[in-house]
Amino acid sequence: MATLHLTQHRVDTLKPKKAILDVRDTELKGFGIRIMPSGARRYFIHSQHEGRRLWKTFDDAGAVTVTQARQRARAMLAAYRNGDSANPEIDKNALFETVAEDVLVHHKRLWKPGTLAVNRCYLHRQILPFFAGRMISAITRQDVEAWFRSLHATPAAANRSLPILSVIMQKAETWGHRPENSNPCVGLRRYRETRRERFLLPAEYRSLAAALARHQATHPLHAAAVQLLILTGCRKSEIITLRWTDYREGRLFLRDSKTGPRTVWLAQAARDVLDNLPRKNRWVFSATQPKPHHLDEFWRRVRSEAGLNDVRLHDLRHSYASVALQNGETILTIGKLLGHRMASTTLRYSHFSDRAIREAVDVVAPVLSEGLS
């Protein structure tokens, strides 16, 4: 947070940044100006007194002078420190959608672009239709429970929207739009989801390979992208954003995967797919195709021809893991192959090792029984 002696000239010439910019005044402690990435400017007061915290925005910087705002801030801060109950500690004029947008802008530097896009989608589809137009300070636990019940038909979307709403409410507390420790999302139980797991069988792999071969000539880039998803277990975003500089020494050096930079070791079949592609620019799959939605459309066509209408692109990643596990690879190794940060993420595939466990029992039991006889 920057600190300046706020003069009218400085207020007028402060430039918006990519993130929210707060500038504190050196003349009056607890007074400052907040500049949004959109260019909107509002003065604020910020103070702590006897364990209570105050953060309140007030007055548009385009409507009042900095001198007028400082005078009003001085009066509000004095009233607050004197325990004046009439002091508006919470900004009750903040609409939910305004605060929500500010929160997403604030998190732009904290979330990956893909995460930000997904969270914005949940905000607009699942959250705003219920809460838009309401004061964020007036939203209660009962309101949040009613909203969550309204999404019972789509439990997965409800469960993914709840943390986003919680982040918005938590940030509203930090910014003074709600009292401290008033987050109405805390402790709300999520819906139980039935985990959907679909893994390809050997015959289905053959059907898929035949369907891809029929499209090789007309859609070479799309076919190659799907082939790499099958052969590497990579995420779709990791494949379609590949640059040629990421491919060297028989490996993919992913600079920014979902879990951070990682190295993907390639089998000969995967290297052959890449080596047979033209190098037109820095992007393996060019800047125009296959785009995510184009690849999805292509996949729907191919899976239909292969008789695999219930298989998603992401299921190719699951299938890669299941094949590795069935062929003796450990959970730790598979987690490294898939780029999982936590072993618990990989454990979903552990039921595929049941056969190996049964075989281990047959091996261990005679040894143990011999020792007991």
Side-chain angles (χ1 to χ4, degrees), residues 100-369:
E101 180 59 29
D102 289 348
V103 170
L104 261 64
V105 170
H106 174 77
H107 279 75
K108 194 172 183 179
R109 58 191 172 87
L110 304 175
W111 292 338
K112 291 180 180 294
T115 301
L116 180 64
V118 169
N119 289 352
R120 187 177 291 279
C121 184
Y122 281 121
L123 172 66
H124 285 277
R125 290 184 180 179
Q126 273 75 34
I127 301 175
L128 284 182
F130 195 93
F131 294 109
R134 304 178 65 173
M135 300 301 172
I136 197 166
S137 59
I139 295 173
T140 66
R141 172 71 172 208
Q142 290 72 27
D143 295 328
V144 172
E145 289 175 345
W147 162 75
F148 203 61
R149 286 195 300 272
S150 74
L151 298 176
H152 71 278
T154 54
N159 289 344
R160 287 155 183 75
S161 301
L162 181 60
I164 300 168
L165 179 60
S166 184
V167 167
I168 293 169
M169 291 299 182
Q170 185 60 49
K171 209 65 185 174
E173 291 182 25
T174 302
W175 291 343
H177 300 306
R178 292 181 60 87
E180 288 187 9
N181 303 316
S182 67
N183 187 340
C185 303
V186 173
L188 190 63
R189 293 184 62 181
R190 302 189 188 190
Y191 290 108
R192 180 176 297 176
E193 297 180 50
T194 301
R195 187 176 293 280
R196 182 191 183 281
E197 292 182 348
R198 176 67 163 89
F199 305 92
L200 293 181
L201 300 173
E204 292 175 324
Y205 272 117
R206 289 191 290 272
S207 297
L208 179 56
L212 285 171
R214 289 193 291 271
H215 291 274
Q216 190 73 48
T218 55
H219 296 84
L221 292 179
H222 294 81
V226 174
Q227 288 169 335
L228 286 176
L229 290 172
I230 294 170
L231 294 168
T232 64
C234 285
R235 301 173 179 90
K236 179 175 68 173
S237 60
E238 294 170 343
I239 292 300
I240 63 176
T241 58
L242 271 181
R243 304 181 187 188
W244 283 114
T245 53
D246 299 334
Y247 172 46
R248 57 189 186 275
E249 303 170 13
R251 287 168 281 178
L252 299 180
F253 295 88
L254 303 180
R255 63 195 73 196
D256 191 24
S257 71
K258 184 178 179 180
T259 54
R262 73 183 185 97
T263 301
V264 179
W265 292 77
L266 300 177
Q268 184 60 52
R271 296 199 296 270
D272 289 343
V273 171
L274 286 166
D275 291 340
N276 288 327
L277 291 176
R279 300 198 178 201
K280 295 182 178 179
N281 54 44
R282 61 176 177 162
W283 303 100
V284 174
F285 295 107
S286 82
T288 57
Q289 74 174 99
K291 291 182 179 178
H293 63 283
H294 290 165
L295 186 59
D296 290 338
E297 292 169 5
F298 174 78
W299 172 247
R300 283 191 288 270
R301 212 161 49 240
V302 168
R303 74 178 183 182
S304 177
E305 294 177 14
L308 303 172
N309 286 314
D310 63 330
V311 178
R312 306 165 302 173
L313 270 176
H314 197 69
D315 292 328
L316 301 180
R317 179 171 163 85
H318 293 167
S319 298
Y320 179 88
S322 70
V323 169
L325 191 56
Q326 290 179 79
N327 283 274
E329 298 299 337
T330 66
I331 291 293
L332 179 61
T333 299
I334 293 170
K336 295 286 187 182
L337 287 171
L338 297 180
H340 287 161
R341 183 181 289 121
M342 297 180 294
S344 58
T345 307
T346 318
L347 285 173
R348 74 177 67 174
Y349 306 110
S350 61
H351 60 279
F352 279 92
S353 62
D354 288 348
R355 183 177 64 184
I357 294 172
R358 287 196 299 272
E359 292 173 355
V361 168
D362 292 336
V363 171
V364 172
V367 175
L368 294 177
S369 59

